[in-house]
Each structure stands twice: as C-alpha cells, then as structure tokens.
Amino acid sequence: MEFRKKGLPISEAKQIDMVGYLSAIGFEPDKVRGVDYWYRSPLRTENTPSFKINRTLNRWYDHGIGKGGNLVDFGILFFECTVAELLKKLDDGFSFQAPVVGLPKINGEKENWISIIGDYMLSSPALLNYLGQRRIPTDIAGIYCRDIRYEMGGRKYFGIGFRNDLGGWEIRSPYFKGSSSPKAPTTFKNSSEEVMVFEGFMDFLSFISLHKNIPFKSYDYIVLNSISFFEKQRIFLESHERVRLYLDNDKAGKNCTAYALSLDNKYTDDSTLYKYHKDLNDFLASFGRPPDML
C-alpha cells in the first residue's frame, strides 16, 4: 500500500489509543464516566464537554457537530490535512507527534541517548496546551523554558526544556519525562538568605506562578532535577539562613525531607501547603478542576 511506503500504516494509526493521543497534543478529559472520557471539543470552542471517547471501542464522537470515528478521522479534521499527510507526520514523530508507548529508559546505551537538535522560544500549541493543563502561565514558562527538539532511538521529538547548570536539559511533555546529559541541578543565585528547594522544574514554575507578585530576587532557588543531588548540594543549601523544602509527597521526597530536618534547624518543610497532593504542581493544577476530578 502507498501509505506503508510513505507513513505509518493506516491500520496501526487506527490502533493508537485516542485518550493517550489527545493527552499528547495537550487535551485532558473534563470527566470520566466508566469507559467514556468527556472533553471540551478539540475541534471547536465550547464550555460544556460534548466530545466523547469510548476507550473500549477507541472511537470518538462530537455531539456538537454530529461527527465521530477513529483517530484518523479525528486527525484529518483537527489538523486540516489529508490522510496521507497525517500518516506521514505520525510516522515522523514531529508536528503531529503520536503518544510514545514503551520508550526505553535512558541507561547509557548510545542508541538510547537523547541528542538535542535545537531549542526555540515556546510556541508549540501542544506544549502550550500542556502548560495550560498544569496551570503554568505562558509568560512565566517562557522566561525559564524552551521548546526543545531532540532525537532518541533514531526518532525526532519535541518537549518543554529546562536547562541545568551544566548545560543539560530536563525535558517534559504530556507523554515523556527525561533528560539529556549532563544531568545536574539548576540554581538561581540572588544573594538571598533564604533558598527554595524543588525536586522538578514544574514545581519551581508553580511556586513562581503562585508568588508572581513577589520579586524573583527575594530568594535563591535550586531545582534538584533529581532527589539524588540533595547531599551534594548541602554546602550551597546550608550557606543560607533558611532552607525551605518543597519536595514531593512520595516516599523518596518524604524521606529526604525527614533527613534534612534532622540535620539542622534551618531546614523547614513547606510541603504542608500541598499535603493532600503529590507535589506543588499537582496542587496548583487542581485549581479550577471540577469536584469529581480532584
């Protein structure tokens, strides 16, 4: 078939999980009822969700326009393209990037390395939609993040990039969490007596979003980018009069917080702000969710 030569086989495209695919391009369900996932239509502007995906059938239906079908039917409407163009883009893994299932972990093998192709101003609609889902204002994200284009395993991808102190990148998208070498924390030094400590950059951006009326230079900041860097950063942290911890509410984060509190009374646990959430960004993202989504 021509499609098999020029793009993803149409039979494979139809098998892509639609809930995962919509998440990849920046759309999350407003509510879930059994196997039915309800969205505010990606195909038009609306306030009340009327776009449904039946996950068992892996098919969608937009009640507002009276149309439905499989992922291919959706893609040609959403991207205003031909079937061949959609299949080619799905296979290329770029602009119409499909959800990546079973990506190999970065373990040092050359074929699994992340190679950065370029970084650009944040402008991708999919990435901006993802930031919106996480309740991160675009103007704040634009100061600290870039639109990263990278290659892994011979395929090209894109994501939100956050640079560390050694020039490596933390990369996030709706379907991928990873980093390029070298791995390191990211610090912002403003000669403050207080330092704010975060595990990941989404939590850092959440803090800035929640405190946007406070001058940025009021504090020093460190994004560990991995909890494993905490011990190596103690000299920097303990050079401050106060170290405020905004670590995750999982086992690793709680253990690190407990360890830090046992070291010195200059450490404080500020995770009480989001004690019912997994991390600070989850707390921020919960604002405005319908009650049944909390």
Side-chain angles (χ1 to χ4, degrees):
M1 289 180 63
E2 182 179 3
F3 288 153
R4 293 182 181 274
K5 295 178 181 179
K6 293 187 177 182
L8 188 72
I10 193 168
S11 59
E12 291 184 19
K14 291 179 179 180
Q15 295 302 311
I16 294 174
D17 175 50
M18 285 209 62
V19 170
Y21 188 75
L22 258 64
S23 179
I25 60 174
F27 297 95
E28 300 294 342
D30 280 61
K31 60 182 178 181
V32 179
R33 294 286 184 268
V35 298
D36 293 329
Y37 288 64
W38 290 89
Y39 301 76
R40 281 170 287 181
S41 178
L43 301 175
R44 54 196 172 79
T45 301
E46 65 172 3
N47 295 320
T48 302
S50 66
F51 181 98
K52 182 183 75 173
I53 292 175
N54 181 300
R55 200 162 198 183
T56 300
L57 300 176
N58 198 33
R59 294 179 72 86
W60 62 276
Y61 187 81
D62 190 325
H63 290 266
I65 60 175
K67 293 184 179 180
N70 54 47
L71 184 137
V72 174
D73 300 317
F74 169 80
I76 60 177
L77 288 175
F78 182 79
F79 296 113
E80 299 181 345
C81 64
T82 66
V83 173
E85 288 170 343
L86 177 67
L87 297 176
K88 178 64 168 62
K89 291 297 184 180
L90 285 171
D91 196 46
D92 286 346
F94 241 133
S95 302
F96 303 160
Q97 192 167 358
V100 179
V101 179
L103 272 176
K105 294 182 178 179
I106 307 306
N107 57 13
E109 295 180 7
K110 185 173 182 180
E111 61 269 27
N112 293 337
W113 284 354
I114 291 178
S115 175
I116 303 299
I117 299 172
D119 66 280
Y120 311 91
M121 180 180 70
L122 280 174
S123 60
S124 164
L127 298 182
L128 295 179
N129 282 331
Y130 176 56
L131 287 168
Q133 292 289 334
R134 305 315 306 166
R135 298 293 192 270
I136 303 295
T138 302
D139 58 338
I140 290 176
I143 296 173
Y144 306 101
C145 302
R146 302 283 285 174
D147 186 332
I148 295 296
R149 305 301 167 113
Y150 63 98
E151 185 172 347
M152 184 172 66
R155 299 290 296 271
K156 295 177 182 179
Y157 305 100
F158 63 92
I160 300 167
F162 181 76
R163 193 165 187 147
N164 67 41
D165 290 346
L166 296 182
W169 294 90
E170 294 298 309
I171 304 171
R172 300 290 184 273
S173 72
Y175 55 88
F176 180 74
K177 179 178 180 179
S179 57
S180 68
S181 297
K183 181 88 171 179
T186 304
T187 55
F188 299 92
K189 300 178 181 179
N190 297 313
S191 300
S192 174
E193 294 183 351
E194 287 188 84
V195 59
M196 310 296 166
V197 186
F198 309 93
E199 280 193 49
F201 74 85
M202 283 292 182
D203 297 321
F204 164 71
L205 296 177
S206 298
F207 180 90
I208 300 301
S209 301
L210 289 165
H211 300 85
K212 56 186 177 182
N213 294 325
I214 298 176
F216 180 76
K217 292 188 176 182
S218 298
Y219 309 110
D220 284 359
Y221 307 86
I222 180 167
V223 182
L224 295 172
N225 294 321
S226 171
I227 202 75
S228 63
F229 286 121
F230 175 81
E231 190 68 27
K232 292 181 179 179
Q233 297 302 312
R234 282 184 56 192
I235 294 176
F236 169 69
L237 296 174
E238 293 169 15
S239 68
H240 296 81
E241 292 297 317
R242 190 179 184 194
V243 184
R244 297 172 58 178
L245 303 171
Y246 291 86
L247 305 184
D248 292 358
N249 279 325
D250 57 12
K251 184 176 181 180
K254 289 180 177 179
N255 286 346
C256 185
T257 296
Y259 171 64
L261 295 177
S262 73
L263 295 173
D264 196 299
N265 61 12
K266 63 177 56 181
Y267 288 96
T268 63
D269 177 13
D270 283 44
S271 68
T272 53
L273 172 65
Y274 48 94
K275 62 182 178 180
Y276 299 115
H277 299 268
K278 65 181 181 180
D279 55 34
L280 183 58
N281 181 247
D282 187 56
F283 168 72
L284 175 62
S286 71
F287 294 173
R289 287 182 188 169
D292 61 343
M293 294 287 287
L294 293 176

